[in-house]
Amino acid sequence: MILGIGTDLANIERIQGTLDRFGDRFRNRVFTEREQRKAEHRADTAGTYAKRWAAKEACSKALGTGLRMGISWKDMAVSNLETGQPIMHVTGWAAERLAEMTPPGHTAIIHVTLTDDHPWAQAFVVIEARPVG
């Protein structure tokens, strides 16, 4: 069963401007060290950050809260499987919210997809509950 759906569209040029203006202060407030390493090793650094920004926004919407009620940017983190498929990790209040919304006898799975076409980066997040066993 679907527990939540979220989407977000981010402007890559806006993210680049924020990176230029605030640098590490912005990076360290919003992105985990792992996300930063990934972005800094990519040719399109701003695009990588923009996709992860959009994924965090989309995840917060799928959790039904948006970025309020205690969810921190770093409570949601995107990494990639060896195949390149993005995956979302939640910790802190985001993980607590996910546990609250997951029915007994189910496990929650967060599906995330990312895309970009300069100057836009987009993310979709679907949270699914699957019966255990």
Side-chain angles (χ1 to χ4, degrees):
M1 94 182 58
I2 302 299
L3 299 179
I5 300 171
T7 185
D8 193 66
L9 184 67
N11 185 291
I12 296 168
E13 292 169 359
R14 184 176 135 246
I15 296 296
Q16 181 65 64
T18 303
L19 288 164
D20 292 344
R21 184 169 178 200
F22 298 104
D24 285 342
R25 194 169 105 196
F26 171 66
R27 277 188 284 273
N28 293 332
R29 184 175 141 253
V30 176
F31 302 101
T32 64
E33 288 181 26
R34 184 176 186 177
E35 289 173 314
Q36 290 180 46
R37 280 193 309 272
K38 177 80 165 186
E40 297 300 325
H41 286 95
R42 289 268 176 99
D44 184 12
T45 302
T48 301
Y49 279 125
K51 286 186 280 188
R52 277 147 179 76
W53 170 281
K56 291 168 186 266
E57 286 274 9
C59 185
S60 71
K61 292 170 185 174
L63 289 167
T65 63
L67 282 161
R68 58 180 175 80
M69 298 175 59
I71 290 183
S72 163
W73 286 103
K74 287 185 174 180
D75 285 348
M76 301 164 287
V78 178
S79 66
N80 297 84
L81 298 176
E82 286 186 23
T83 60
Q85 176 184 347
I87 55 174
M88 178 68 70
H89 307 274
V90 292
T91 58
W93 202 92
E96 291 173 21
R97 172 69 181 139
L98 182 61
E100 287 172 7
M101 61 192 289
T102 304
H106 290 75
T107 187
I109 299 162
I110 302 174
H111 303 277
V112 61
T113 186
L114 308 172
T115 191
D116 64 290
D117 186 5
H118 195 86
W120 302 106
Q122 186 173 31
F124 286 96
V125 171
V126 175
I127 301 175
E128 173 190 12
R130 286 189 189 161
V132 175

